[in-house]
Amino acid sequence: MTVYAYTRVSTTRQASEGESLDVQQRQISGYALMHGLTVDETIIEEGVSGSIPVSDRPAGAALFAKLKAGDVVIAAKLDRLFRSALDALQVVDDLRTKGVKLHLIDLGGDIAGNGLSKLFFTIASAFAEAERDRIRERISQVKADQRQRGRFLGGKRPFGYQIGAHGELVEDASEQRTIAKMRALRDDGFSLRAIAEALAEDGIALSHVAVKKVLQRGSSGAAGQLEDTATSGGQPALGTRW
């Protein structure tokens, strides 16, 4: 069994507000002494933001790579190790699977191997779910804003548009003429397959399914961004099925 002390500060301000490396080390040493443990190695993570997952930090990654069953990791506070409840939930679950004990002093002790673990996981799970909801909400808001501004959101390029230098959708004159012809043929009663065949005679290979999607896009224009299919060179090559 190896006992590791993990300490981290990201800024000089933290060091001056009671969270210095020395303070953390003293807290961990005192805690270890009270629980009959001897710290074998102190891991120091200096100048690393807490927004970075512990497994991606230089010292943190090295620590987690050598942990084995029976080892103990002690940290002064939860936020010294983890960037979020979701991050904590995933890491602690991995440590439990490995048989590694994790002691967080501000939470009262071992959260990965005793009675505190059930309470921790219940609370952390609730926060993690709320965090996932906030992430989904932020992503949805960003996408809505990007759509309103005519930005391309990735995936398959809508037929009739090219991707501009700043990620915006720009009308392709040639493909827009094709779309106008498709709508005119549809208004004249042509079936989707008949429209696709008429376009093929002009050297434009669009399946009847792609024709349907373009026509369904209607007045939504670029903002609709229905998935037609991306092209590598801007124009559909002969024989390519959209």
Side-chain angles (χ1 to χ4, degrees), residues 152 156-163 169-183 195 199 203-207 210-215 217-218 221-222 224-231 234-237 240-242:
F152 182 59
K156 299 176 181 179
R157 172 180 71 80
F159 182 80
Y161 297 87
Q162 297 296 331
I163 304 169
L169 287 174
V170 180
E171 288 190 355
D172 181 290
S174 176
E175 292 184 0
Q176 287 295 324
R177 287 193 294 271
T178 299
I179 292 174
K181 180 176 180 178
M182 291 162 58
R183 290 174 180 157
I195 294 173
L199 295 179
I204 300 171
L206 282 175
S207 70
V211 170
K212 180 180 180 181
K213 288 182 177 180
V214 173
L215 293 175
R217 189 164 58 215
Q225 293 197 26
L226 294 180
E227 292 186 0
D228 300 319
T229 296
T231 58
Q235 297 294 333
T240 300
R241 304 305 294 175
W242 285 73

Side-chain angles (χ1 to χ4, degrees), residues 129-146:
E129 180 61 30
E131 186 177 348
R132 282 189 290 266
D133 288 342
R134 287 196 300 271
I135 291 172
R136 284 193 290 265
E137 183 178 351
R138 285 197 296 269
I139 291 174
S140 177
Q141 290 173 343
V142 169
K143 285 186 175 180
D145 177 66
Q146 294 296 305

